Amino acid sequence: MSRRGVLVAGGAGYIGSHTTVELIEAGYEVIVVDNFSNSDASSLEGVAKITGVKPIFVEADCCDKEAMRKVFEEYDFDSVIHFAAFKAVGESVAEPLKYYRNNLLSFVNILELMVEYGRHNVVFSSSATVYGDADVLPVTELTPRKPATSPYGNTKQMSEDILRDMTTATETLNGIALRYFNPIGAHPSAQIGELPRGVPNNLVPYITQTAAGIRECLSIFGGDYPTPDGSCLRDYIDVVDLAKAHVVAINRMVEGRSKSRYEVFNIGTGSPVSVFELVRGFEQANNLKLNYKVAARRAGDVTAVWADTTLANEELGWRAERELCDTLRSAWEWEKNVRRIK
């Protein structure tokens, strides 16, 4: 199998498209699989504009095992990155079975096919939600996982366990779970970025849509948390920095540098930022004012979480590099480009 071939499941999505760019620029041949359930074909056009390379694309649902089998039979790759999951905390609380069916079955199918077809390396798109409302901050990879506060978080915990168990049982399989904190921003080219369907579930697209006049008002969920300014604290990581972490994770496995067949790394900045601070930072970075209000707390949200990234810094040789103000500018440039705003 080609050590330079990577299957990116969910590669037309927000993080998937940025990772596809970084993989292509690192010399990998990328095969993207996506069913456009929460993405758009325009992201692949953006990838081609940035890189000059149009990735191989197969429209398929990772929950359809026979469709995925055709991908494994037809294309030459040794590594897989799994992004093909639903990701809205609130929606998962309202529709748990939708999340359990999609997020778990898609991953199980890929792992079964990897073993069947002798593909060796997989990066799993995990999340800081596995830590829940942690007792001690910042969280390290050894911080105990708390019971999930949402079905979405539970699917991430369960998928990590599935990957750990499969790498234990399968000598030919290597896995790395990257626990993302809060990805934000867009590619500096403004050719790709976050493009949610309908009402955004994440904060920054709601901010940019409010700035663009698409949303009348930004709701900040909860102003009475036990934090310095009453809003939640998060670790906001630039999506390009996050994408680069996937490349170094693939490199680590391809080059045989993993210290065990299953590894976990936090991918964040290590710096907590409150929701109010993020809103003010966006206003300052882009010289504009937002209409916002404080609303009731949202089900499934934790008070505060941010990363200790020492392990990723030392073992992967990766660290977050982009400044928050630049990230928030990139988010607005992307929104303006999508909406044709001057």
Side-chain angles (χ1 to χ4, degrees):
M1 286 298 104
S2 170
R3 289 158 64 90
R4 305 306 293 178
V6 182
L7 173 69
V8 183
Y14 174 42
I15 304 170
S17 60
H18 286 81
T19 301
T20 296
V21 166
E22 298 302 323
L23 286 165
I24 290 170
E25 292 186 340
Y28 285 98
E29 181 179 49
V30 180
I31 303 98
V32 170
V33 172
D34 207 297
N35 66 353
F36 299 131
S37 64
N38 193 32
S39 58
D40 192 274
S42 62
S43 66
L44 298 177
E45 295 166 12
V47 169
K49 286 177 183 176
I50 294 165
T51 64
V53 175
K54 191 169 185 179
I56 297 164
F57 174 68
V58 180
E59 185 170 354
D61 186 339
C62 293
C63 291
D64 182 344
K65 190 173 181 182
E66 292 313 303
M68 292 305 297
R69 182 183 298 282
K70 291 177 183 175
V71 175
F72 275 75
E73 287 178 348
E74 187 168 346
Y75 297 102
D76 190 19
F77 55 90
D78 195 41
S79 303
V80 179
I81 303 177
H82 184 271
F83 293 112
F86 297 141
K87 61 178 185 176
V89 170
E91 182 185 56
S92 79
V93 173
E95 301 182 68
L97 287 181
K98 174 180 177 179
Y99 275 67
Y100 288 119
R101 180 182 298 110
N102 181 77
N103 293 9
L104 299 178
L105 181 58
S106 63
F107 193 42
V108 167
N109 282 347
I110 279 175
L111 290 174
E112 285 181 338
L113 290 166
M114 287 185 71
V115 173
E116 184 177 341
Y117 287 89
R119 312 300 165 90
H120 298 112
N121 310 308
V122 59
V123 175
F124 174 64
S125 166
S126 192
S127 167
T129 58
V130 302
Y131 297 117
D133 233 332
D135 295 325
V136 179
L137 293 167
V139 293
T140 74
E141 290 80 359
L142 297 177
T143 297
R145 298 186 318 182
K146 288 281 195 78
T149 57
S150 68
Y152 162 74
N154 207 20
T155 65
K156 293 300 183 185
Q157 290 187 353
M158 293 168 77
S159 294
E160 282 191 0
D161 293 345
I162 290 167
L163 181 56
R164 180 202 63 213
D165 293 346
M166 279 300 295
T167 54
T168 299
T170 313
E171 289 187 5
T172 56
L173 191 64
N174 306 301
I176 291 178
L178 298 181
R179 290 176 178 166
Y180 313 160
F181 282 70
N182 287 69
I184 61 170
H187 194 271
S189 66
Q191 293 296 328
I192 55 174
E194 192 166 8
L195 190 63
R197 296 273 175 94
V199 178
N201 290 292
N202 294 337
L203 177 59
V204 170
Y206 215 114
I207 287 174
T208 59
Q209 289 189 16
T210 303
I214 296 160
R215 307 287 162 196
E216 184 179 340
C217 183
L218 167 69
S219 293
I220 294 174
F221 297 110
D224 59 349
Y225 283 96
T227 60
D229 65 12
S231 66
C232 291
L233 292 171
R234 293 290 184 270
D235 187 334
Y236 295 100
I237 172 78
D238 187 286
V239 67
V240 175
D241 282 336
L242 173 59
K244 289 177 177 177
H246 294 79
V247 179
V248 297
I250 291 288
N251 289 344
R252 182 178 177 84
M253 290 186 287
V254 166
E255 295 164 8
R257 292 186 287 108
S258 300
K259 292 198 173 166
S260 62
R261 292 208 300 272
Y262 174 64
E263 296 181 306
V264 177
F265 297 98
N266 286 338
I267 304 297
T269 66
S271 300
V273 175
S274 78
V275 175
F276 287 130
E277 286 173 330
L278 194 77
V279 169
R280 288 194 295 271
F282 181 86
E283 291 178 329
Q284 291 166 4
N286 297 296
N287 195 28
L288 49 76
K289 293 297 289 181
L290 290 169
N291 182 30
Y292 63 88
K293 65 180 181 182
V294 177
R297 294 185 184 190
R298 186 171 57 176
D301 281 345
V302 300
T303 301
V305 65
W306 68 92
D308 181 325
T309 61
T310 303
L311 192 66
N313 301 158
E314 294 179 354
E315 284 293 324
L316 294 179
W318 171 93
R319 65 182 61 250
E321 295 176 346
R322 302 263 296 163
E323 296 289 338
L324 182 60
C325 59
D326 294 331
T327 301
L328 293 171
R329 267 189 220 106
S330 73
W332 180 226
E333 290 303 315
W334 159 248
E335 188 72 46
K336 288 193 293 182
N337 189 31
V338 170
R339 309 297 174 186
R340 303 291 186 262
I341 298 170
K342 296 297 184 184

